[in-house]
Amino acid sequence: MKPIVSVVITMSDEVKVKTMMDLITEIMEIIRAIEAPISYKDILEEKYSLISLKYNDFIENYLDFREIADNLHDGIYISNGDGNTVFVNKAYVSSTGIRKEELIGRNVGEILKEGKLYKGAVTMEVIKKRDVVNSIGTILKTNKEVLVTGKPIFDENGNVKLVVINNRDITELNNLEKKISKLKEDERKAMEEIKFLRSKQVSNKKTIYTNKQMQSIMELVNRVASTDATVLITGESGTGKEVIADEIYYQSKRKDKPFIKVNCSAIPQELFESELFGYEGGAFTDAKKAGKPGLFELAEEGTILLDEIGDMPLKLQSKLLRVLQQKEFIRVGGNKAIKMNVRIIASTNKDLKHEVKEKRFREDLFYRLNVVPILYDAVKRKEGRHRNFNQ
């Protein structure tokens, strides 16, 4: 056992040390008052000065160490070079339920053999290997698993003078790991459901066409599908604009990402903005406390089809224009811009150029959407209607 360490560290109650110092001081005062040879008094004064220095060092260093150790979240367990327990902090006591009196002064090896307090301690192994040792231990009183890390501290001669053990309760970590595993499993199931629902939403039919116009349209689809260019599909209702949008999606690099279809003519005007861009909690009466993501957020990294874009209200057209220009949007009731990575396909049964002239559609938005125009000619369409067959 290392003498200085056993005196300094095992004095877990600093009041006892102070009391001892007070008694030594009283004895020294008595010696000074009695008749004694000067040489004897000089020797005692020298010894007393040395004791005072040691005491002051204890007060300044150990008490700071103890205060710091007792404010750590992890349990700290310190043994000397022989494996005798010299210190445990408050966190160790509170987390294990083991009292200091059951540990201080006792040898770790003997405690392990007894098998009543803990198992999996690494102190003796650290002393033997003279290196850091990690293990999973168990506190037998509470049946808690702890992550045990032991590190040696060497003296000036290279001998192990202390072993510092860090105990971390991993019960919470294990519970967290279980929760994460469950979340991953829930996510996997959700992705499977989304994949299934997406397959139901997107046409699984192969487009068969019998005229040159459809051939040229499909050639254009093949060219632009792999890009992120915005496409505007124009044609009468029932001509199969959605099938063309499906074809673009299937051939795009985003085919494994969301494909959100929005019928602009079916959404009430007062709900249009919140449906597309979402809203923050408390944005309006009956709004969800946590808010709600809009369709653009749900389409992130994927594709959004704005069907019947010609029916979009003018007020919302300006906001859609900003989305196309800035690649970002703001939820209703929010003030934070949300970056967006979405490929946009628009379709309409209206002549948007005419709508622009009639000031029912923004000209700047029209040109933003009309990057790649796909137009069905009604007369030629009747000559060779495209047909869909199940693959």
Side-chain angles (χ1 to χ4, degrees):
M1 184 179 292
K2 309 300 183 286
I4 293 177
V5 172
S6 64
V7 171
V8 174
I9 302 298
T10 57
M11 289 292 128
S12 59
D13 187 354
E14 60 271 17
V15 175
K16 293 179 182 178
V17 179
K18 186 177 184 304
T19 302
M20 189 193 317
M21 188 62 198
D22 289 342
L23 289 171
I24 293 172
T25 301
E26 288 178 18
I27 293 170
M28 194 63 203
E29 290 296 331
I30 294 171
I31 291 172
R32 286 169 182 158
I34 65 174
E35 294 289 335
I38 299 297
S39 58
Y40 290 166
K41 286 188 176 183
D42 288 344
I43 292 172
L44 290 172
E45 287 288 355
E46 184 180 344
K47 295 294 184 183
Y48 177 73
S49 297
L50 182 61
I51 292 172
S52 295
L53 286 172
K54 293 290 185 182
Y55 172 74
N56 290 331
D57 180 66
F58 173 82
I59 294 298
E60 291 176 8
N61 295 300
Y62 171 65
L63 297 188
D64 285 345
F65 155 76
R66 178 173 177 173
E67 184 176 1
I68 292 168
D70 280 341
N71 280 280
L72 294 176
H73 179 72
D74 290 346
I76 303 297
Y77 190 118
I78 302 176
S79 304
N80 67 12
D82 296 320
N84 297 319
T85 309
V86 295
F87 176 84
V88 291
N89 69 346
K90 288 182 179 179
Y92 184 90
V93 173
S94 62
S95 64
T96 63
I98 303 173
R99 294 177 291 111
K100 288 185 179 182
E101 293 77 11
E102 298 177 85
L103 299 169
I104 301 299
R106 298 188 63 190
N107 187 272
V108 173
E110 292 175 359
I111 295 173
L112 283 173
K113 285 181 182 178
E114 187 181 58
K116 292 182 179 180
L117 300 180
Y118 53 66
K119 63 180 181 180
V122 299
T123 298
M124 307 313 291
E125 192 175 354
V126 170
I127 295 172
K128 182 180 178 181
K129 292 185 175 180
R130 299 166 57 82
D131 201 357
V132 175
V133 177
N134 295 297
S135 178
I136 299 295
T138 305
I139 305 301
L140 298 177
K141 279 194 172 185
T142 59
N143 200 32
K144 280 186 179 179
E145 283 192 334
V146 290
L147 177 63
V148 183
T149 301
K151 184 175 182 179
I153 296 177
F154 302 95
D155 62 19
E156 62 275 8
N157 297 317
N159 299 314
V160 176
K161 68 175 181 179
L162 291 172
V163 177
V164 179
I165 303 295
N166 184 91
N167 271 33
R168 175 165 293 183
D169 185 354
I170 60 173
T171 305
E172 291 183 10
L173 291 176
N174 288 336
N175 290 337
L176 184 60
E177 186 178 2
K178 290 177 182 177
K179 288 180 181 178
I180 291 173
S181 296
K182 187 177 184 304
L183 285 173
K184 286 182 178 179
E185 178 62 19
D186 290 345
E187 181 184 22
R188 186 191 65 78
K189 290 179 180 178
M191 291 304 296
E192 290 295 328
E193 290 177 10
I194 290 171
K195 187 177 179 181
F196 172 76
L197 292 172
R198 191 180 295 160
S199 68
K200 292 296 182 182
Q201 185 183 28
V202 181
S203 171
N204 64 346
K205 297 177 180 180
K206 184 177 180 180
T207 302
I208 306 296
Y209 43 88
T210 58
N211 66 5
K212 291 182 179 180
Q213 186 198 23
M214 278 303 299
Q215 182 177 348
S216 64
I217 287 174
M218 294 307 297
E219 287 174 355
L220 178 59
V221 166
N222 294 337
R223 289 199 302 272
V224 303
S226 60
T227 73
D228 280 336
T230 303
V231 178
L232 176 62
I233 307 169
T234 304
E236 295 177 3
S237 298
T239 56
K241 299 187 293 296
E242 188 176 332
V243 174
I244 298 302
D246 290 347
E247 196 71 32
I248 294 171
Y249 169 73
Y250 265 132
Q251 294 188 37
S252 75
K253 58 187 178 184
R254 299 174 184 261
K255 64 181 180 179
D256 294 322
K257 301 296 182 180
F259 185 25
I260 304 297
K261 296 180 179 181
V262 185
N263 188 337
C264 297
S265 64
I267 302 175
Q269 186 168 335
E270 62 273 13
L271 298 178
F272 223 116
E273 186 175 358
S274 61
E275 285 294 316
L276 283 187
F277 306 124
Y279 59 80
E280 296 291 350
F284 49 83
T285 306
D286 297 330
K288 293 182 179 179
K289 289 183 179 180
K292 179 185 175 183
L295 295 172
F296 270 99
E297 281 183 76
L298 297 178
E300 179 64 17
E301 296 188 351
T303 304
I304 190 166
L305 169 63
L306 300 174
D307 193 19
E308 306 303 352
I309 189 74
D311 294 325
M312 179 176 285
L314 272 170
K315 180 181 176 182
L316 197 61
Q317 289 178 27
S318 62
K319 297 197 174 185
L320 178 60
L321 178 64
R322 182 179 183 275
V323 170
L324 293 173
Q325 291 174 329
Q326 305 297 328
K327 300 295 183 184
E328 63 182 28
F329 59 90
I330 298 175
R331 283 183 174 187
V332 176
N335 51 25
K336 180 183 177 182
I338 299 173
K339 291 293 182 181
M340 180 195 75
N341 176 18
V342 177
R343 201 257 180 91
I344 295 176
I345 302 173
S347 66
T348 181
N349 60 2
K350 294 183 178 180
D351 182 351
L352 292 188
K353 285 185 178 179
H354 178 72
E355 294 297 300
V356 169
K357 290 179 182 179
E358 296 295 322
K359 300 189 181 303
R360 290 192 292 263
F361 202 86
R362 291 182 63 108
E363 185 176 13
D364 46 7
L365 176 59
F366 169 70
Y367 286 112
R368 280 282 178 180
L369 293 171
N370 201 42
V371 176
V372 179
I374 295 180
L375 176 65
Y376 279 125
D377 182 272
V379 176
K380 290 184 178 179
R381 176 183 57 78
K382 290 176 182 177
E383 294 176 359
R385 186 183 300 273
H386 68 272
R387 293 172 291 170
N388 292 331
F389 294 95
N390 289 329
Q391 288 183 319

